[in-house]
Amino acid sequence: MSDKAYRALSSPFGTGFTTTMKLSTTVLAQLQQQQAIAIPRYDRGKTGIGIVHIGPGAFHRAHQAVYTENAMNQSGGDWGICGVSLRSSSARDILSTQDFLYTLAIRDKTTRYQIIGAIKEILVAGEQSDAILSRLSAATTKIVSLTITEKAYCLNALGSLDLEHPDIAADLDNPRHPQSAIGFLVEGLRLRLASGVTAFTVLSCDNVSGNGDKLRRGVLDYARLIDEDLAGWISGNVAFPNSMVDSITPKTEDDTITSVSSAIGAQDDWPIQREAFTQWVIEENWSGERPDWQGVGVIFTNDVEGFEKAKLRLLNCLHSTLAYAGSLAGFETVYEATSDTRFRQFISGLAQNEIIGSFVPPRELDIGKYSQEIITRFLNPEIQHRLAQIAWDGSQKIQMRILPVIRDNLAADRPIRGLCMALASWFEFICRALTSGHEINDPLANTFSQMPALRDGDPAVVVESFLSIDAIFASDLRHNTLVLQQLTQSLRTLRECAKGGQSVADALTMLPPASA
Ligand code: CS2
């Protein structure tokens, strides 16, 4: 987000708005007169904070904060959110100038606007750590939820806490002044135990399979190194439900700010946009109260795993496939890449022949329909979702989205050709970034740049080099001849097509997903 002076805006609502009026509590009353814009219906001033959310980025503001807003609109409750930013201060700095209000633009055939008031404050770690710990230890805080991305779970390839992770190492040296999400959770829980306050529920909302279980493992590994009794108390008293979250949320761009501000008739410096589809499935594993999320569409179930696999393996796996193969082909957005018939056929075939069937879907889900709807969602022209945004952190994402499907297919003697093409596209994406000097946004960027073979190796050597990275691949895949052969063939085909002036779409057509 760039710093912006207020733009001159013409309000579609005529009188009542000046061109530089800023979104704020005061302005809300005037927006209320506009039928088209939904505003908070609860008394925001009197609403207490009941949730601390670590990672109040765009996805949180488009998803959990909106469910909480709708639950408060419908059923009230002290469920205001305190956002905690672990690194950047921009969310606090920008949203504090508009009383932490922001607009959600729901982009479908028409765009709907809703002003969200659920976030009541944002605190920044480092600058406001004492205030964060006060919130975490307050009896009024019932839930701590998180969207911190895959890498911030600080787990190693075996699923236990990575003690060498710089943030974890720093927190273990100085646990009363944490920097990491896990360090904050444990210190907050220690303070609660010390003052006799019951535990909060820890609700992970990242695209990580078994997200609650994984976070619990990291928290317990860390707590044990600090205080065995505390670890025992956490183990017996803190619920870590697993959850599945879904709603496509492209990054806010400068033109989003202009168009939303113009539509609502007040300057909003950080609106959020997302598609109309939204889903949240939470494991029925809870301690204490929660907002009336159920009343506004959240599904509580004992089978989150089925939903999670469906989402990660279909939507996210296809997204990553498009991100790497589509970027190599020169496309910029999911919409553009999916609109190309050969790309669309490839991802549809991948879903049909290699992904559906790799897991048991939940009973409630019609999986064929679900997967077709995903392609329709990708074809929403109102959603300009950049492939570059999805391509970030590939080393983490493929471990949730592609590798488990390959493993399950190998075990069941099912095909992996399309999955290997998807993975080879990621390899090639990284190799091309290294040779062209483009920045790689990935926690393993340094590892890649220290592997000369990725710059000039032939396909077989490149494949072997990637598979040798312990933080991503375990030995099962490294030594599997079918995996080695299919990855090498895919990478070779991608390169030969590029050399021969053919397109990436030709490579996808030459090596399509196998028939089931
Ligand atoms: C995307 C996800 O950026 C990405 O990796 O695949 O953010 C995706 O848009 C969401 O999971 C949709 O719910």
Side-chain angles (χ1 to χ4, degrees), residues 92-111:
R92 178 201 59 193
D93 297 345
I94 293 176
L95 293 181
S96 61
T97 65
Q98 46 194 58
D99 300 327
F100 297 100
L101 294 164
Y102 62 92
T103 315
L104 174 73
I106 300 178
R107 304 227 185 262
D108 209 346
K109 289 197 182 76
T110 57
T111 301

Side-chain angles (χ1 to χ4, degrees), residues 266-283:
Q267 179 69 22
D268 181 344
D269 277 334
W270 206 338
I272 300 292
Q273 52 181 345
R274 61 148 227 233
E275 63 175 339
F277 180 94
T278 179
Q279 197 173 36
W280 196 6
V281 183
I282 304 178
E283 187 182 13

Side-chain angles (χ1 to χ4, degrees), residues 373-392:
E373 275 167 8
I374 286 172
I375 311 275
T376 310
R377 287 165 65 191
F378 289 178
L379 287 170
N380 179 348
E382 302 308 318
I383 294 285
Q384 296 302 317
H385 197 185
R386 297 201 178 275
L387 297 175
Q389 182 187 341
I390 301 167
W392 276 41

Side-chain angles (χ1 to χ4, degrees), residues 59 207 245-249 275 311 315-316 319-320 377 385 389-390 397 401:
F59 189 76
N207 276 325
V245 294
D246 191 7
S247 195
I248 292 172
T249 305
E275 63 175 339
K311 155 79 188 338
L315 188 143
N316 293 119
H319 248 177
S320 291
R377 287 165 65 191
H385 197 185
Q389 182 187 341
I390 301 167
K397 290 178 177 175
R401 307 173 174 199

Side-chain angles (χ1 to χ4, degrees), residues 1-7 22 94 252-255 257-258 261 267-271:
M1 301 269 298
S2 52
D3 273 349
K4 320 151 260 318
Y6 289 174
R7 291 170 183 78
K22 175 88 176 166
I94 293 176
T252 299
E253 313 233 4
D254 282 350
D255 64 355
I257 296 172
T258 318
S261 299
Q267 179 69 22
D268 181 344
D269 277 334
W270 206 338

Side-chain angles (χ1 to χ4, degrees), residues 52-295:
V52 172
H53 183 86
I54 306 182
F59 189 76
H60 167 68
R61 274 142 58 202
H63 190 272
Q64 302 96 48
V66 179
Y67 279 101
T68 304
E69 175 82 2
N70 294 343
M72 290 196 288
N73 275 337
Q74 187 159 297
S75 312
D78 286 319
W79 295 112
I81 298 169
C82 160
V84 170
S85 297
L86 291 178
R87 296 190 191 280
S88 157
S89 66
S90 19
R92 178 201 59 193
D93 297 345
I94 293 176
L95 293 181
S96 61
T97 65
Q98 46 194 58
D99 300 327
F100 297 100
L101 294 164
Y102 62 92
T103 315
L104 174 73
I106 300 178
R107 304 227 185 262
D108 209 346
K109 289 197 182 76
T110 57
T111 301
R112 285 184 290 128
Y113 299 94
Q114 179 174 6
I115 312 286
I116 307 297
I119 297 181
K120 296 205 66 183
E121 70 178 2
I122 294 182
L123 303 171
V124 179
E127 291 175 38
Q128 294 167 294
S129 293
D130 290 345
I132 296 172
L133 290 172
S134 300
R135 281 283 176 219
L136 288 172
S137 55
T140 42
T141 299
K142 314 278 190 216
I143 298 167
V144 178
S145 51
L146 305 93
T147 44
I148 51 178
T149 77
E150 296 87 344
K151 56 182 180 269
Y153 285 69
C154 304
L155 300 175
N156 58 30
L158 300 172
S160 51
L161 189 65
D162 178 3
L163 302 181
E164 312 215 316
H165 192 290
D167 293 351
I168 296 296
D171 285 1
L172 283 170
D173 278 346
N174 196 0
R176 302 278 158 99
H177 298 99
Q179 301 174 15
S180 69
I182 288 183
F184 271 109
L185 285 171
V186 173
E187 179 60 5
L189 288 164
R190 188 192 68 80
L191 291 168
R192 290 174 92 96
L193 175 61
S195 57
V197 174
T198 54
F200 42 66
T201 289
V202 180
L203 178 56
S204 164
C205 301
D206 280 297
N207 276 325
V208 169
S209 48
N211 50 16
D213 297 338
K214 289 204 169 115
L215 188 55
R216 180 173 191 273
R217 170 91 187 258
V219 163
L220 288 177
D221 284 354
Y222 176 91
R224 270 190 215 107
L225 292 170
I226 292 177
D227 175 347
E228 278 286 347
D229 292 342
L230 174 62
W233 181 76
I234 295 175
S235 164
N237 292 278
V238 183
F240 291 80
N242 290 307
S243 80
M244 182 278 254
V245 294
D246 191 7
S247 195
I248 292 172
T249 305
K251 197 167 171 279
T252 299
E253 313 233 4
D254 282 350
D255 64 355
T256 325
I257 296 172
T258 318
S259 70
V260 170
S261 299
S262 163
I264 69 165
Q267 179 69 22
D268 181 344
D269 277 334
W270 206 338
I272 300 292
Q273 52 181 345
R274 61 148 227 233
E275 63 175 339
F277 180 94
T278 179
Q279 197 173 36
W280 196 6
V281 183
I282 304 178
E283 187 182 13
E284 192 50 277
N285 162 23
W286 204 269
S287 64
E289 301 154 59
R290 61 189 182 217
D292 180 20
W293 284 330
Q294 224 148 342

